[in-house]
Amino acid sequence: AKLGIHVSDAKEGGVRTDGVLPGSKATELQRGDVIAEVNGKAVANIAALQAEMNKAAPGSMALLKVKRGPVTRFAAVPVPAK
């Protein structure tokens, strides 16, 4: 499932958001955010993020646990069609 973001594996674990593409539905994410969980499941790298997003039903919302600097927050993003 494509979220419309550029990502890389974060050194500290999780997946770093390197950029949000124009037209992306993941508008709550910002460059530098580190995605730590998808729907309560920890994601250590890009492969784990993709696997968890692929488990979610298209058209539903995925809840991402996101670290933005010292702040941990949650972002709801729509799950795109596979």
Side-chain angles (χ1 to χ4, degrees), residues 19-46:
V20 180
L21 301 173
S24 170
K25 302 275 191 225
T27 56
E28 293 187 53
L29 298 178
Q30 295 179 5
R31 181 182 171 92
D33 286 352
V34 175
I35 301 167
E37 294 180 3
V38 175
N39 292 333
K41 305 283 187 182
V43 292
N45 52 40
I46 294 169

Side-chain angles (χ1 to χ4, degrees), residues 1-80:
K2 304 258 187 238
L3 288 176
I5 57 175
H6 289 293
V7 294
S8 60
D9 289 335
K11 285 187 258 183
E12 65 273 19
V15 179
R16 180 175 311 286
T17 304
D18 295 327
V20 180
L21 301 173
S24 170
K25 302 275 191 225
T27 56
E28 293 187 53
L29 298 178
Q30 295 179 5
R31 181 182 171 92
D33 286 352
V34 175
I35 301 167
E37 294 180 3
V38 175
N39 292 333
K41 305 283 187 182
V43 292
N45 52 40
I46 294 169
L49 172 66
Q50 290 171 332
E52 290 303 323
M53 288 302 296
N54 284 334
K55 290 179 187 176
S60 69
M61 297 296 281
L63 184 63
L64 308 182
K65 183 177 183 180
V66 177
K67 296 177 185 175
R68 182 174 295 160
V71 177
T72 299
R73 57 186 308 240
F74 291 90
V77 297
V79 177

